[in-house]
Amino acid sequence: MSIGNLPNNLLLENVLEVIDESILVADLEFRLVWMNSTAIQTLGPLMKLFGIKDGENILGKHMDFFHKNPHHQHRIMESLSHSHRTRISIKDQYYAETVITPIFDPQKIKQGYLMMLVDVTEKAQEEKEREKMIDLLSTPIMKLWDYVLAAPIVGILNDDRAERLTHTVLQNCVKERAEFFLLDVSSLNEIDTNTGHYINKICQTLRLIGTKCYIVGVSPQLAQSISNHHYQWKTFSHVQNALIEVLPFSDKIIEEQNT
């Protein structure tokens, strides 16, 4: 709850106008009804990408153009009772950390939404460049022996990177008829819920094509992190330990293939 009293001659619109960030207000149908001058200056040029030539013509437009998955966003906003934070992207040219807050009247009835957009375009572009570099470093699949492949996880796994990594791993394992795949997690400081989910998906997917997935490079700290999630992984502290276990099977497979 707020404290103190605002001056009687101080209008809310004036307060929002002088904030040096983009402030937008939308009604219950998710249509924009008000923007401060910072929002007009920042978003106006971007609206030309949507065929909107004048900043004032943004008013009345639906907020869907901010989101790749509007229906998901609708469900979130309709159930909002407190502020919600997310990151939005407009045509990959503007990125903003966004705080969406429902507006209630004195009777606690929701009347609309206030959004504050903090421009993080430069930061987001730097992150994308860093992710590209990480992808270049982490995508190659190493062939250790016949039927034994390996790859490291470098950097943060998000949906896109995890999907690409899984696809690359599967393609190579099928192509090389891999019996074993070693996934190196030694560069990770912890395995949170999302990272664990992605790794587990890779293990389960490989199991479906008959490839055994071993998690290597597990430090004591990672071991504790993994134990909290109860994953059924075959883990090793060092790659060498995994190779010692794999070697007898690999030699047997090669002999069977040659007979």
Side-chain angles (χ1 to χ4, degrees):
M1 178 178 293
S2 60
I3 60 174
N5 296 299
L6 292 173
N8 293 331
N9 61 347
L10 186 61
L11 298 177
L12 177 59
E13 182 174 345
N14 293 339
V15 174
L16 297 178
E17 172 61 27
V18 298
I19 295 176
D20 193 26
E21 300 290 353
S22 296
I23 306 293
L24 304 88
V25 176
D27 61 20
L28 292 176
E29 295 181 350
F30 314 120
R31 299 188 183 278
L32 296 176
V33 296
W34 187 87
M35 301 169 63
N36 69 353
S37 58
T38 301
I40 295 172
Q41 293 171 7
T42 303
L43 301 180
L46 294 168
M47 293 303 101
K48 294 179 181 179
L49 300 174
F50 298 90
I52 303 174
K53 297 180 180 180
D54 189 280
E56 292 185 1
N57 292 331
I58 301 174
L59 296 181
K61 297 296 182 182
H62 208 280
M63 288 172 52
D64 284 357
F65 62 78
F66 282 129
H67 308 291
K68 293 182 179 179
N69 188 351
H71 296 297
H72 173 67
Q73 196 64 29
H74 290 178
R75 289 194 298 270
I76 291 176
M77 293 183 68
E78 287 171 354
S79 62
L80 275 186
S81 58
H82 299 87
S83 295
H84 171 72
R85 295 176 179 271
T86 187
R87 177 178 286 194
I88 65 169
S89 168
I90 299 179
K91 296 289 188 180
D92 290 327
Q93 294 190 29
Y94 172 80
Y95 294 83
E97 296 292 348
T98 306
V99 180
I100 305 173
T101 304
I103 303 171
F104 295 93
D105 63 17
Q107 287 72 45
K108 306 299 183 182
I109 299 175
K110 188 185 296 184
Q111 297 296 328
Y113 304 90
L114 184 145
M115 293 159 288
M116 181 171 72
L117 280 59
V118 179
D119 190 345
V120 293
T121 303
E122 184 176 347
K123 177 183 177 182
Q125 290 173 341
E126 290 175 354
E127 290 174 352
K128 288 181 70 175
E129 289 301 317
R130 187 162 57 248
E131 288 298 324
K132 287 180 181 178
M133 182 61 67
I134 290 173
D135 282 342
L136 289 175
L137 294 172
S138 61
T139 298
I141 306 297
M142 296 172 286
K143 184 175 182 179
L144 304 182
W145 288 319
D146 287 336
Y147 311 111
V148 182
L149 303 182
I153 292 180
V154 181
I156 298 173
L157 279 181
N158 55 30
D159 288 342
D160 291 338
R161 290 197 65 230
E163 193 68 30
R164 289 196 297 272
L165 178 60
T166 303
H167 178 72
T168 302
V169 168
L170 280 174
Q171 275 194 325
N172 281 268
C173 285
V174 171
K175 178 182 177 181
E176 298 293 338
R177 295 187 293 172
E179 292 286 336
F180 300 93
F181 184 82
L182 311 185
L183 192 59
D184 185 358
V185 296
S186 59
S187 68
L188 302 182
N189 295 319
E190 65 173 346
I191 294 182
D192 58 19
T193 301
N194 286 337
T195 303
H197 168 74
Y198 297 133
I199 293 175
N200 199 51
K201 183 178 179 181
I202 291 173
C203 293
Q204 291 178 335
T205 306
L206 287 175
R207 190 179 300 122
L208 292 176
I209 64 171
T211 300
K212 297 180 178 66
C213 183
Y214 292 168
I215 310 300
V216 302
V218 178
S219 65
Q221 181 180 354
L222 277 182
Q224 290 183 330
S225 180
I226 293 171
S227 67
N228 293 332
H229 300 286
H230 308 291
Y231 292 120
Q232 301 299 312
W233 297 342
K234 185 79 170 180
T235 60
F236 298 87
S237 58
H238 299 286
V239 174
Q240 293 89 332
N241 300 123
L243 294 178
I244 290 173
E245 177 156 333
V246 166
L247 183 57
F249 292 99
S250 183
D251 289 342
K252 182 179 179 182
I253 292 168
I254 293 173
E255 291 176 3
E256 290 175 351
Q257 292 292 330
N258 291 334
T259 58

